[in-house]
Amino acid sequence: MRTPSPPDGTYETDPAHLSVYSRAACLYVRRPAGVVFPRGPEDLAWALGFCRHEKQSLTLRGGGSGLAGQTVGRGTVADVSRWMNRILRIDPERREAAVEPGVVCSDLNRAAALHGLRFSPDPSSQDFCTVGGMLANNSKGGRAVRYGTTVDHVRRLRLLLPDGEEAELARGWRRPEDYPHPALRRAAALILASRDRIAARWPRSRTNASGYNLMGCLGPEGRVDLVPLFVWSEGTLGVFLEAAVGLEPIPKGQSTALVQFADVASAAQAVLDLIPLRPSALEIMDNTFLDIARRGLSSIPLPLDDATRCVLILESDGGGAEEAEAGMDALLAAARGAGPA
């Protein structure tokens, strides 16, 4: 049987490719039917049509860093990291970058740093995760406490809908009839009709990674923003072709501290006291990680007391060293109230 051929990319079905793409950073193993390497939107449109015809799933893959099995599937896997990895433009005046979905987060930041800017979401996998993947799962990172998650920095999306039509979405509240595609209009109307139910049942937590971000879509009465629906949808609603994301100035001052606690409960209490002071980053490590460091298995030795069972890593930034240090002093004073070890 003749191997299917996308317009400009390649489609592979040999055992080597199928074996490599049956695994990712997760525990799951799913052998795909084929792997497509798209060079542009036409190849992704071809992949979508091919999978529809063959009744296969289409799984988008960037760095393969998803831990929940998002980047493995039994249908066709589309790896956008090989060729759809261009930074299309950086606009320092508007503090904005336009990128293809296969751009690696740290590559974007290196390019933005030449203009004194950065893309603020900083997941631990930033040296190999792609912007497309960050859009799919609304990536966070230690700096999310101050700078927000990926969705907070998305300005525009160009995407491919399940029927093969392209659509562009920009941030902003709109009436359902203002959206350009019938499926988008129906989705917006459905969200509006469920407004009270969504507001009443949405989890009252700072972070929620379950289901679609319906709460983030709700705006003023009669209007919705559908960008948060697609960011965080894990590739189930459309294929990202291009994204325009906002950039932030790189802080000129930064201060970091490690605070030790005798138990997780004390560290959790400290977090509640620290959040109102707006630390620029906040990470927690419990005894699972600390035991690794104590056994000498970590590349970074940590100066830990024997009684320490949990640590908080705090960061404060600002326009200069003095501002960052003043912020850190306030953070440490608040942390002491929770009873560090």
Side-chain angles (χ1 to χ4, degrees):
M1 186 177 71
R2 185 169 176 265
T3 301
S5 178
D8 196 29
T10 62
Y11 185 82
E12 309 291 348
T13 58
D14 60 278
H17 278 93
L18 301 188
S19 177
V20 168
Y21 283 87
S22 67
R23 293 170 171 83
C26 59
L27 296 174
Y28 304 99
V29 178
R30 296 288 184 272
R31 187 177 179 86
V35 182
V36 62
F37 297 96
R39 290 183 181 271
E42 296 81 5
D43 292 326
L44 286 173
W46 173 88
L48 189 62
F50 171 76
C51 289
R52 188 187 305 114
H53 180 268
E54 298 295 320
K55 295 181 171 55
Q56 293 181 6
S57 62
L58 175 62
T59 301
L60 273 290
R61 178 175 174 131
S65 58
L67 299 177
Q70 307 100 309
T71 54
V72 293
R74 291 196 172 95
T76 292
V77 172
D79 183 351
V80 296
S81 68
R82 177 176 290 188
W83 288 316
M84 292 188 68
N85 55 14
R86 294 180 302 158
I87 299 173
L88 301 172
R89 60 186 175 277
I90 292 180
D91 187 336
E93 297 296 322
R94 300 183 63 184
R95 295 180 181 173
E96 181 178 287
V99 300
E100 291 182 320
V103 170
V104 173
C105 179
S106 59
D107 289 343
L108 171 58
N109 275 324
R110 277 189 285 271
L114 299 176
H115 306 279
L117 301 170
R118 73 181 182 192
F119 183 46
S120 290
D122 62 330
S124 58
S125 58
Q126 61 186 285
D127 286 336
F128 48 90
C129 74
T130 61
V131 174
M134 295 176 70
L135 294 170
N137 66 15
N138 190 29
S139 292
K140 303 170 180 64
R143 295 196 174 100
V145 291
R146 180 164 184 174
Y147 293 102
T149 63
T150 298
V151 70
D152 298 310
H153 301 274
V154 176
R155 295 185 179 177
R156 291 184 305 281
L157 293 175
R158 186 160 71 95
L159 44 86
L160 199 62
L161 297 175
D163 64 358
E165 293 291 321
E166 282 194 25
E168 290 201 22
L169 294 176
R171 295 307 302 262
W173 311 115
R174 292 172 177 80
R175 300 180 184 86
E177 58 268 26
D178 295 333
Y179 283 99
H181 189 280
L184 298 178
R185 293 194 287 271
R186 289 195 298 271
L190 180 61
I191 292 171
L192 277 181
S194 306
R195 181 187 185 93
D196 292 342
R197 187 179 181 189
I198 293 169
R201 298 193 176 190
W202 196 254
R204 297 182 181 180
S205 59
R206 287 182 59 89
T207 300
N208 172 41
S210 300
Y212 298 114
N213 186 13
L214 301 178
M215 191 69 174
C217 297
L218 296 178
E221 193 68 32
R223 297 172 186 266
V224 297
D225 181 357
L226 289 185
V227 169
L229 180 65
F230 285 88
V231 178
W232 196 347
S233 65
E234 294 288 9
T236 59
L237 299 179
V239 175
F240 297 120
L241 302 176
E242 182 182 325
V245 297
L247 306 173
E248 300 281 344
I250 298 174
K252 293 182 171 60
Q254 194 173 83
S255 178
T256 307
L258 183 148
V259 185
Q260 305 179 53
F261 293 87
D263 51 61
V264 174
S266 299
Q269 180 57 55
V271 170
L272 297 177
D273 298 334
L274 291 166
I275 291 296
L277 300 177
R278 302 189 71 234
S280 57
L282 184 58
E283 287 279 9
I284 188 170
M285 292 194 299
D286 66 11
N287 211 38
T288 305
F289 298 96
L290 303 186
D291 279 347
I292 292 174
R294 286 189 173 101
R295 293 199 303 269
L297 301 179
S298 170
S299 60
I300 303 175
L302 297 176
L304 299 173
D305 296 336
D306 292 341
T308 299
R309 293 294 178 269
C310 188
V311 300
L312 288 180
I313 301 173
L314 311 179
E315 181 187 274
S316 172
D317 65 23
E322 289 187 6
E323 183 180 347
E325 290 297 336
M328 181 56 70
D329 289 343
L331 292 174
L332 292 176
R336 290 189 192 99

